[in-house]
mmCIF file of all heavy atoms in Angstrom:
data_model
loop_
_atom_site.group_PDB
_atom_site.id
_atom_site.type_symbol
_atom_site.label_atom_id
_atom_site.label_comp_id
_atom_site.label_asym_id
_atom_site.label_seq_id
_atom_site.Cartn_x
_atom_site.Cartn_y
_atom_site.Cartn_z
ATOM 1 N N ASP A 28 0.808 -1.224 -0.006
ATOM 2 C CA ASP A 28 0.007 -0.033 0.014
ATOM 3 C C ASP A 28 0.837 1.278 0.059
ATOM 4 O O ASP A 28 0.304 2.383 0.201
ATOM 5 C CB ASP A 28 -0.993 0.020 1.141
ATOM 6 C CG ASP A 28 -0.411 -0.050 2.577
ATOM 7 O OD1 ASP A 28 0.803 0.386 2.643
ATOM 8 O OD2 ASP A 28 -1.089 -0.509 3.505
ATOM 9 N N GLY A 29 2.150 1.132 -0.179
ATOM 10 C CA GLY A 29 3.040 2.268 -0.339
ATOM 11 C C GLY A 29 3.506 2.986 0.936
ATOM 12 O O GLY A 29 4.246 3.917 0.827
ATOM 13 N N ARG A 30 3.267 2.359 2.066
ATOM 14 C CA ARG A 30 3.771 2.890 3.300
ATOM 15 C C ARG A 30 5.286 2.598 3.525
ATOM 16 O O ARG A 30 5.861 3.203 4.373
ATOM 17 C CB ARG A 30 2.938 2.445 4.517
ATOM 18 C CG ARG A 30 1.631 3.094 4.542
ATOM 19 C CD ARG A 30 0.720 2.527 5.777
ATOM 20 N NE ARG A 30 0.403 1.187 5.523
ATOM 21 C CZ ARG A 30 0.019 0.355 6.561
ATOM 22 N NH1 ARG A 30 0.042 0.720 7.704
ATOM 23 N NH2 ARG A 30 -0.280 -0.854 6.240
ATOM 24 N N LEU A 31 5.710 1.538 2.849
ATOM 25 C CA LEU A 31 7.071 1.174 3.181
ATOM 26 C C LEU A 31 7.726 0.862 1.794
ATOM 27 O O LEU A 31 7.260 0.154 0.867
ATOM 28 C CB LEU A 31 7.057 -0.184 3.998
ATOM 29 C CG LEU A 31 8.402 -0.805 4.515
ATOM 30 C CD1 LEU A 31 8.946 0.256 5.530
ATOM 31 C CD2 LEU A 31 8.100 -2.043 5.213
ATOM 32 N N ARG A 32 8.957 1.502 1.627
ATOM 33 C CA ARG A 32 9.700 1.235 0.367
ATOM 34 C C ARG A 32 10.897 0.338 0.707
ATOM 35 O O ARG A 32 11.632 0.532 1.814
ATOM 36 C CB ARG A 32 10.260 2.537 -0.174
ATOM 37 C CG ARG A 32 9.160 3.455 -0.758
ATOM 38 C CD ARG A 32 9.716 4.657 -1.554
ATOM 39 N NE ARG A 32 10.495 5.547 -0.692
ATOM 40 C CZ ARG A 32 11.735 5.829 -0.875
ATOM 41 N NH1 ARG A 32 12.471 5.214 -1.721
ATOM 42 N NH2 ARG A 32 12.365 6.728 -0.090
ATOM 43 N N THR A 33 11.320 -0.633 -0.247
ATOM 44 C CA THR A 33 12.451 -1.392 -0.099
ATOM 45 C C THR A 33 13.653 -0.543 -0.375
ATOM 46 O O THR A 33 13.649 0.498 -1.019
ATOM 47 C CB THR A 33 12.404 -2.566 -0.993
ATOM 48 O OG1 THR A 33 12.217 -2.188 -2.396
ATOM 49 C CG2 THR A 33 11.326 -3.538 -0.606
ATOM 50 N N ASN A 34 14.778 -1.043 0.086
ATOM 51 C CA ASN A 34 16.048 -0.378 -0.165
ATOM 52 C C ASN A 34 17.041 -1.468 -0.745
ATOM 53 O O ASN A 34 17.752 -2.037 -0.012
ATOM 54 C CB ASN A 34 16.596 0.150 1.052
ATOM 55 C CG ASN A 34 17.904 0.989 1.019
ATOM 56 O OD1 ASN A 34 18.299 1.147 -0.197
ATOM 57 N ND2 ASN A 34 18.424 1.466 2.054
ATOM 58 N N ILE A 35 16.971 -1.613 -2.004
ATOM 59 C CA ILE A 35 17.777 -2.688 -2.765
ATOM 60 C C ILE A 35 18.975 -1.904 -3.378
ATOM 61 O O ILE A 35 18.836 -1.080 -4.174
ATOM 62 C CB ILE A 35 16.838 -3.285 -3.747
ATOM 63 C CG1 ILE A 35 15.688 -4.125 -3.072
ATOM 64 C CG2 ILE A 35 17.704 -4.310 -4.574
ATOM 65 C CD1 ILE A 35 14.740 -4.707 -4.060
ATOM 66 N N GLY A 36 20.149 -2.440 -2.997
ATOM 67 C CA GLY A 36 21.357 -1.764 -3.497
ATOM 68 C C GLY A 36 21.912 -2.424 -4.695
ATOM 69 O O GLY A 36 22.542 -1.805 -5.527
ATOM 70 N N ASN A 37 21.788 -3.784 -4.755
ATOM 71 C CA ASN A 37 22.567 -4.519 -5.958
ATOM 72 C C ASN A 37 21.712 -5.728 -6.146
ATOM 73 O O ASN A 37 21.353 -6.485 -5.239
ATOM 74 C CB ASN A 37 23.865 -4.841 -5.475
ATOM 75 C CG ASN A 37 24.700 -5.450 -6.600
ATOM 76 O OD1 ASN A 37 24.489 -5.123 -7.730
ATOM 77 N ND2 ASN A 37 25.638 -6.489 -6.203
ATOM 78 N N VAL A 38 21.371 -5.993 -7.402
ATOM 79 C CA VAL A 38 20.681 -7.170 -7.844
ATOM 80 C C VAL A 38 21.534 -7.859 -8.852
ATOM 81 O O VAL A 38 22.091 -7.335 -9.830
ATOM 82 C CB VAL A 38 19.258 -6.795 -8.496
ATOM 83 C CG1 VAL A 38 18.648 -8.120 -8.920
ATOM 84 C CG2 VAL A 38 18.446 -6.124 -7.537
ATOM 85 N N THR A 39 21.808 -9.251 -8.610
ATOM 86 C CA THR A 39 22.544 -9.962 -9.514
ATOM 87 C C THR A 39 21.947 -11.407 -9.764
ATOM 88 O O THR A 39 20.948 -11.643 -9.143
ATOM 89 C CB THR A 39 24.004 -10.165 -8.925
ATOM 90 O OG1 THR A 39 24.856 -10.833 -9.855
ATOM 91 C CG2 THR A 39 23.979 -10.905 -7.686
ATOM 92 N N THR A 40 22.532 -12.239 -10.550
ATOM 93 C CA THR A 40 22.024 -13.510 -10.955
ATOM 94 C C THR A 40 22.866 -14.584 -10.030
ATOM 95 O O THR A 40 23.891 -14.209 -9.566
ATOM 96 C CB THR A 40 22.166 -13.850 -12.359
ATOM 97 O OG1 THR A 40 23.560 -13.917 -12.738
ATOM 98 C CG2 THR A 40 21.359 -12.821 -13.126
ATOM 99 N N LEU A 41 22.379 -15.793 -9.989
ATOM 100 C CA LEU A 41 23.184 -16.801 -9.259
ATOM 101 C C LEU A 41 24.431 -16.936 -9.958
ATOM 102 O O LEU A 41 25.632 -17.229 -9.276
ATOM 103 C CB LEU A 41 22.281 -18.070 -9.175
ATOM 104 C CG LEU A 41 22.876 -19.195 -8.259
ATOM 105 C CD1 LEU A 41 22.899 -18.721 -6.941
ATOM 106 C CD2 LEU A 41 22.014 -20.528 -8.430
ATOM 107 N N ASP A 42 24.522 -16.938 -11.262
ATOM 108 C CA ASP A 42 25.838 -17.085 -11.896
ATOM 109 C C ASP A 42 26.844 -16.073 -11.570
ATOM 110 O O ASP A 42 28.053 -16.296 -11.459
ATOM 111 C CB ASP A 42 25.634 -16.998 -13.526
ATOM 112 C CG ASP A 42 24.923 -18.191 -14.079
ATOM 113 O OD1 ASP A 42 25.190 -19.393 -13.391
ATOM 114 O OD2 ASP A 42 24.139 -18.220 -15.016
ATOM 115 N N ASP A 43 26.311 -14.824 -11.254
ATOM 116 C CA ASP A 43 27.277 -13.686 -10.972
ATOM 117 C C ASP A 43 27.243 -13.407 -9.468
ATOM 118 O O ASP A 43 27.656 -12.356 -9.062
ATOM 119 C CB ASP A 43 26.866 -12.458 -11.712
ATOM 120 C CG ASP A 43 26.994 -12.638 -13.193
ATOM 121 O OD1 ASP A 43 28.020 -13.402 -13.626
ATOM 122 O OD2 ASP A 43 26.147 -12.113 -13.932
ATOM 123 N N ALA A 44 26.603 -14.317 -8.613
ATOM 124 C CA ALA A 44 26.413 -14.003 -7.242
ATOM 125 C C ALA A 44 27.633 -13.790 -6.381
ATOM 126 O O ALA A 44 27.718 -12.985 -5.524
ATOM 127 C CB ALA A 44 25.571 -15.178 -6.646
ATOM 128 N N ILE A 45 28.744 -14.587 -6.780
ATOM 129 C CA ILE A 45 29.966 -14.432 -5.995
ATOM 130 C C ILE A 45 30.479 -13.067 -6.063
ATOM 131 O O ILE A 45 30.869 -12.436 -5.086
ATOM 132 C CB ILE A 45 30.949 -15.488 -6.477
ATOM 133 C CG1 ILE A 45 30.435 -16.873 -6.183
ATOM 134 C CG2 ILE A 45 32.330 -15.248 -5.870
ATOM 135 C CD1 ILE A 45 31.317 -17.941 -6.708
ATOM 136 N N ALA A 46 30.565 -12.468 -7.332
ATOM 137 C CA ALA A 46 31.010 -11.042 -7.507
ATOM 138 C C ALA A 46 30.075 -10.142 -6.789
ATOM 139 O O ALA A 46 30.407 -9.167 -6.183
ATOM 140 C CB ALA A 46 31.191 -10.820 -8.905
ATOM 141 N N GLY A 47 28.725 -10.446 -6.958
ATOM 142 C CA GLY A 47 27.732 -9.561 -6.388
ATOM 143 C C GLY A 47 27.776 -9.493 -4.841
ATOM 144 O O GLY A 47 27.332 -8.551 -4.242
ATOM 145 N N CYS A 48 28.221 -10.631 -4.211
ATOM 146 C CA CYS A 48 28.274 -10.642 -2.708
ATOM 147 C C CYS A 48 29.498 -9.956 -2.138
ATOM 148 O O CYS A 48 29.559 -9.859 -0.944
ATOM 149 C CB CYS A 48 28.228 -12.160 -2.258
ATOM 150 S SG CYS A 48 26.500 -12.873 -2.547
ATOM 151 N N LYS A 49 30.472 -9.692 -3.046
ATOM 152 C CA LYS A 49 31.620 -8.952 -2.566
ATOM 153 C C LYS A 49 31.876 -7.787 -3.466
ATOM 154 O O LYS A 49 32.905 -7.809 -4.238
ATOM 155 C CB LYS A 49 32.878 -9.882 -2.488
ATOM 156 C CG LYS A 49 33.130 -10.821 -3.754
ATOM 157 C CD LYS A 49 34.297 -11.635 -3.509
ATOM 158 C CE LYS A 49 34.575 -12.544 -4.749
ATOM 159 N NZ LYS A 49 35.685 -13.511 -4.623
ATOM 160 N N PRO A 50 31.122 -6.798 -3.637
ATOM 161 C CA PRO A 50 31.175 -5.655 -4.473
ATOM 162 C C PRO A 50 32.402 -4.894 -4.325
ATOM 163 O O PRO A 50 32.884 -4.737 -3.199
ATOM 164 C CB PRO A 50 29.878 -4.845 -4.219
ATOM 165 C CG PRO A 50 29.576 -5.214 -2.828
ATOM 166 C CD PRO A 50 29.875 -6.633 -2.634
ATOM 167 N N ALA A 51 32.908 -4.294 -5.380
ATOM 168 C CA ALA A 51 34.151 -3.520 -5.313
ATOM 169 C C ALA A 51 33.866 -2.174 -4.637
ATOM 170 O O ALA A 51 34.818 -1.578 -4.110
ATOM 171 C CB ALA A 51 34.653 -3.295 -6.733
ATOM 172 N N LYS A 52 32.688 -1.631 -4.585
ATOM 173 C CA LYS A 52 32.417 -0.368 -3.899
ATOM 174 C C LYS A 52 31.300 -0.618 -2.859
ATOM 175 O O LYS A 52 30.549 -1.573 -2.881
ATOM 176 C CB LYS A 52 31.972 0.641 -4.923
ATOM 177 C CG LYS A 52 30.647 0.314 -5.685
ATOM 178 C CD LYS A 52 30.326 1.492 -6.645
ATOM 179 C CE LYS A 52 29.037 1.160 -7.353
ATOM 180 N NZ LYS A 52 28.701 2.310 -8.281
ATOM 181 N N ARG A 53 31.234 0.356 -1.907
ATOM 182 C CA ARG A 53 30.268 0.268 -0.860
ATOM 183 C C ARG A 53 28.793 0.507 -1.420
ATOM 184 O O ARG A 53 28.579 1.362 -2.233
ATOM 185 C CB ARG A 53 30.537 1.426 0.140
ATOM 186 C CG ARG A 53 29.468 1.540 1.199
ATOM 187 C CD ARG A 53 29.877 2.684 2.143
ATOM 188 N NE ARG A 53 28.858 2.947 3.155
ATOM 189 C CZ ARG A 53 28.006 3.954 3.021
ATOM 190 N NH1 ARG A 53 28.010 4.761 1.945
ATOM 191 N NH2 ARG A 53 27.047 4.129 3.953
ATOM 192 N N ILE A 54 27.862 -0.443 -1.008
ATOM 193 C CA ILE A 54 26.450 -0.381 -1.476
ATOM 194 C C ILE A 54 25.647 -0.285 -0.175
ATOM 195 O O ILE A 54 25.853 -1.085 0.769
ATOM 196 C CB ILE A 54 26.157 -1.537 -2.270
ATOM 197 C CG1 ILE A 54 26.997 -1.667 -3.461
ATOM 198 C CG2 ILE A 54 24.633 -1.615 -2.498
ATOM 199 C CD1 ILE A 54 26.769 -2.908 -4.328
#
């Protein structure tokens, strides 16, 4: 209902998850 917004910083695939779980910059 719009009272709460998610805060998603980085979305990746399972194939690229390892790199996505240790990003080069602060997220």
Side-chain angles (χ1 to χ4, degrees):
D28 62 24
R30 288 179 288 163
L31 190 63
R32 291 191 294 120
T33 55
N34 185 1
I35 298 173
N37 185 35
V38 179
T39 186
T40 64
L41 190 61
D42 287 329
D43 297 323
I45 294 173
C48 291
K49 49 180 180 181
K52 63 179 182 179
R53 174 179 174 264
I54 296 174

